[in-house]
Amino acid sequence: MKYTNPEIKQDVNVSKGHPLAEFLRLLAGVAILITVAGIVLAVSIGWAVQFVPMSFENELAGRFSQSTPADSPQRDALQDLADRLIVHMDLPDDMKITAHYVDGDTVNAFATIGGHVVFFKGLIESMKDENSLAMVMAHEIGHIEHRHPIASLGRGIAVMLTILAIGGASGTQVPEGLVNQLGLFSTMTFSRSQEREADTTALQAVQQLYGHVGGSSSFFRYAAALSERNPPEILSTHPDPGNRVRKIRDEATVAGWALDGPRTPLADALTKPALNADSQ
Amino acid sequence: MEFLIQVGLVVAFLFLGFVFGQIAEKRHYKSIIKREKTYGRVMMFGAKFPDSDISARDASLVTGSAVVSIDYFKRFVTGLRAIVGGRVRSYETLVDRARREAILRMKQQADDLGCNMVFNIKIETASISKGAGKAIGSVEVLAYGTAVAGSETPST
């Protein structure tokens, strides 16, 4: 018998195809999977929040932060403004709005679960009159009225779970920071349609409180400043401020509301915080 | 911003893994093919003992083992593959290279001993990432057999 060991033919044990092509195909497939799963989750959560009782949301909020705000004359002034706006808004009975004042230079205000609206000193200082501030306040209350904070929280958790599930299924090391970033990002933001919804609600409340919608432009300067701080346009969740101004103007015109009128000055506690602190 | 940095890091690792992984793989295959030609003179047999038409002497144990690691790119692709299923192409080259390298080292040892035949060849594969979680993604292949200096006797 004649024995031979033939040369090993190349690529017998290795599938053909370029690794990059395989990578791109897989990436596209999984991206579609994640997107579809994410959209389905986000939509179903957005729909389901209406069944979450407000009492549960309040309890949830209490677990994360203190529900009773630190007392200050500024807070009282903000709460007073909120209370006057709520009269013209359509809040359910178990929905309570609590205003918070933060002594920080950030030009920001936000609404969070449990009916809490938080205002930073920086934002209030950038407002010329109460009408402008009322627009922001009504906008944040509008978010709460439409249950946006709890929807965002649910969405954030859903996004985190989706990423973790896919990371777990694939055994890939999805960097923990990335998961947290994505989850937090979707928790802290409202979608463009939610912003518009809050705008419409806010405008109506402001109109009913003051008899005109003057001062709402200051609110959009604030929105512009907000989007400037979030550089990547694609990640910006607020609609273009210019578009919002136009849209609001259109809405007001259609409804036959006055675009401006006598402005109401800001409460003393908000304009002279230092003086008030001294007099205490 | 932090988000972009995180994504950028993953992309950078993928790029590095791909470039260096491909270079290493091409180089390794080149070397494997070259040495397979050289050590083609050492024949391998699965049989435990030489046939009666082979006269063999100087039997000794020869072993060869190789450890090959995957790169970040391959691990990522395999992770994606694990979701949808299918042939894990990126691991095929890994195991193929480790197996051929281990056999080559075994053959080289036999050649150094003046042997031209290796009988009773066994190949074992061990994943050394076992227990180490995701820290290591390497495979070890051990090839061993009985090397002899043999010659074919004309059949009767």
Side-chain angles (χ1 to χ4, degrees), chain A residues 6-280:
Chain A
E7 261 179 50
I8 300 171
K9 279 232 171 65
Q10 198 61 17
D11 295 340
V12 167
N13 295 316
V14 176
S15 307
K16 290 192 172 51
H18 197 274
L20 267 186
E22 188 196 17
F23 169 66
L24 292 176
R25 224 174 28 242
L26 281 171
L27 199 66
V30 172
I32 291 170
L33 197 81
I34 295 177
T35 313
V36 169
I39 289 172
V40 167
L41 270 170
V43 168
S44 42
I45 285 171
W47 170 80
V49 281
Q50 54 183 310
F51 303 112
V52 177
M54 196 64 205
S55 57
F56 175 77
E57 191 184 316
N58 291 338
E59 197 197 317
L60 202 65
R63 268 187 239 167
F64 285 119
S65 61
Q66 60 175 92
S67 305
T68 33
D71 256 330
S72 68
Q74 292 93 335
R75 193 211 84 79
D76 292 342
L78 286 169
Q79 185 69 53
D80 174 63
L81 177 60
D83 290 342
R84 277 186 286 139
L85 278 164
I86 291 165
V87 176
H88 304 288
M89 298 176 93
D90 200 16
L91 301 190
D93 290 340
D94 55 353
M95 197 179 271
K96 299 272 177 290
I97 303 295
T98 314
H100 297 251
Y101 173 79
V102 178
D103 190 4
D105 291 332
T106 322
V107 183
N108 200 9
F110 61 89
T112 183
I113 55 166
H116 298 279
V117 285
V118 180
F119 278 76
F120 285 79
K121 189 180 81 184
L123 174 82
I124 297 167
E125 280 178 349
S126 71
M127 297 288 160
K128 285 194 184 68
D129 44 45
E130 195 188 80
N131 303 60
S132 315
L133 187 63
M135 182 66 189
V136 185
M137 176 65 87
H139 174 88
E140 301 305 340
I141 298 174
H143 277 311
I144 291 167
E145 181 185 334
H146 298 294
R147 308 295 298 274
H148 294 161
I150 187 90
S152 293
L153 181 71
R155 195 177 54 206
I157 292 168
V159 167
M160 272 190 187
L161 284 179
T162 312
I163 298 169
L164 284 176
I166 286 181
S170 62
T172 323
Q173 278 173 304
V174 184
E176 209 173 298
L178 198 63
V179 178
N180 291 342
Q181 283 286 317
L182 281 171
L184 200 68
F185 178 72
S186 33
T187 308
M188 296 296 284
T189 56
F190 299 122
S191 70
R192 282 159 180 263
S193 64
Q194 285 175 327
E195 295 295 345
R196 284 199 201 96
E197 206 178 2
D199 277 354
T200 307
T201 309
L203 198 68
Q204 205 168 348
V206 167
Q207 153 71 17
Q208 284 176 18
L209 182 61
Y210 299 106
H212 64 88
V213 294
S216 55
S217 61
S218 311
F219 168 64
F220 294 107
R221 274 202 293 278
Y222 143 74
L226 201 73
S227 60
E228 257 169 45
R229 284 188 294 112
N230 301 331
E233 281 296 320
I234 201 158
L235 293 179
S236 166
T237 52
H238 281 71
D240 174 44
N243 281 342
R244 290 168 87 180
V245 172
R246 245 169 282 131
K247 186 154 185 303
I248 295 278
R249 196 164 287 164
D250 289 350
E251 268 181 40
T253 313
V254 167
W257 296 336
L259 290 177
D260 212 341
R263 304 287 182 92
T264 313
L266 279 167
D268 283 351
L270 294 174
T271 44
K272 306 178 190 82
L275 273 176
N276 261 286
D278 286 345
S279 65
Q280 268 183 342

Side-chain angles (χ1 to χ4, degrees), chain B residues 32-83:
Chain B
I32 285 175
I33 291 164
K34 191 179 152 214
R35 282 179 295 146
E36 271 173 355
K37 284 208 174 82
T38 310
Y39 293 108
R41 58 183 180 244
V42 179
M43 282 197 288
M44 302 195 294
F45 300 85
K48 269 193 170 177
F49 300 107
D51 245 349
S52 56
D53 59 351
I54 293 175
S55 70
R57 57 190 168 75
D58 302 339
S60 60
L61 174 74
V62 282
T63 61
S65 89
V67 179
V68 181
S69 172
I70 53 168
D71 50 66
Y72 190 91
F73 177 81
K74 284 201 172 86
R75 192 208 298 276
F76 195 91
V77 171
T78 309
L80 292 176
R81 179 56 84 192
I83 298 170

